[in-house]
Amino acid sequence: MTDALRQPVILGRIVGLFGIRGWVKVHSYTEPREAVLDHRNWLLDREGDWQRFGLVEGRRQGKGIVVCLQGIDDRDAAAELLGSDIGVDRDALPQPERGHYYWADLEGLAVVHKDGTELGTVAYLMETGANDVLVVDGAVERLIPFVPETVILDVDLAAGVIRVDWEWD
């Protein structure tokens, strides 16, 4: 198993405080946004150290999510969590369907054009509405739409390579 597969899968980030009783605001990367609440055992990245927290309660609040975590009972304790990534153990997630991938599994993969030209590595992905986009760091930064079969020809997680048919300037 690669190191990337041993790391928690990041599902969101703590971005704010909510009230005085230790609740925090969460920016969820899941789709739908509330799916982050399906996981009761969270890992929070606190300065490079993953610490476990139980999810006591959570709900949608406006366009975001607010949660109460076990052991976080006041605003001061909650403030210490600001900026923490929220992760879960990989084995807590369902196996993605064929042709679907967790973004965390694509980040860091090499991107190679169908002619063999190495374009760089996936720095991160972003959602645009029409389709997801790979942001590829290489000699130049490239934005490559994640459109299976036409642009994305093959994703080989074991080899760490995404093969694409994408023309660049």
Side-chain angles (χ1 to χ4, degrees):
M1 180 179 286
T2 66
D3 286 340
L5 295 180
R6 287 189 189 105
Q7 290 293 317
V9 176
I10 297 174
L11 300 182
R13 177 179 277 267
I14 295 180
V15 295
L17 303 175
F18 184 76
I20 61 171
R21 296 197 173 140
W23 284 62
V24 292
K25 295 178 184 178
V26 169
H27 176 74
S28 174
Y29 304 148
T30 63
E31 182 61 45
R33 182 174 299 145
E34 296 85 5
V36 72
L37 301 174
D38 295 343
H39 303 279
R40 305 313 284 180
N41 296 303
W42 285 14
L43 295 164
L44 298 184
D45 183 5
R46 303 196 58 201
E47 299 178 11
D49 181 30
W50 289 99
Q51 296 178 6
R52 292 193 179 275
F53 287 85
L55 175 64
V56 176
E57 189 178 347
R59 67 177 183 269
R60 186 175 189 127
Q61 181 73 28
K63 292 184 179 181
I65 303 289
V66 295
V67 302
C68 175
L69 298 171
Q70 198 168 39
I72 306 300
D73 299 324
D74 62 43
R75 194 171 177 87
D76 291 336
E80 293 180 21
L81 303 178
L82 287 174
S84 297
D85 284 328
I86 301 164
V88 296
D89 292 316
R90 178 170 292 282
D91 59 8
L93 297 172
Q95 188 68 21
E97 296 176 26
R98 180 169 160 65
H100 291 83
Y101 306 93
Y102 289 115
W103 283 13
D105 295 340
L106 300 177
E107 292 171 354
L109 296 186
V111 178
V112 177
H113 188 268
K114 68 179 182 177
D115 70 5
T117 304
E118 293 184 23
L119 303 178
T121 59
V122 178
Y124 60 94
L125 288 93
M126 62 181 175
E127 188 175 2
T128 63
N131 49 263
D132 298 333
V133 173
L134 300 173
V135 179
V136 179
D137 278 342
V140 297
E141 183 179 81
R142 291 189 173 89
L143 304 178
I144 301 176
F146 195 90
V147 181
E149 298 177 16
T150 54
V151 176
I152 305 298
L153 302 178
D154 181 54
V155 175
D156 187 338
L157 294 176
V161 175
I162 300 174
R163 207 166 54 85
V164 301
D165 182 4
W166 183 248
E167 298 308 318
W168 61 91
D169 296 324

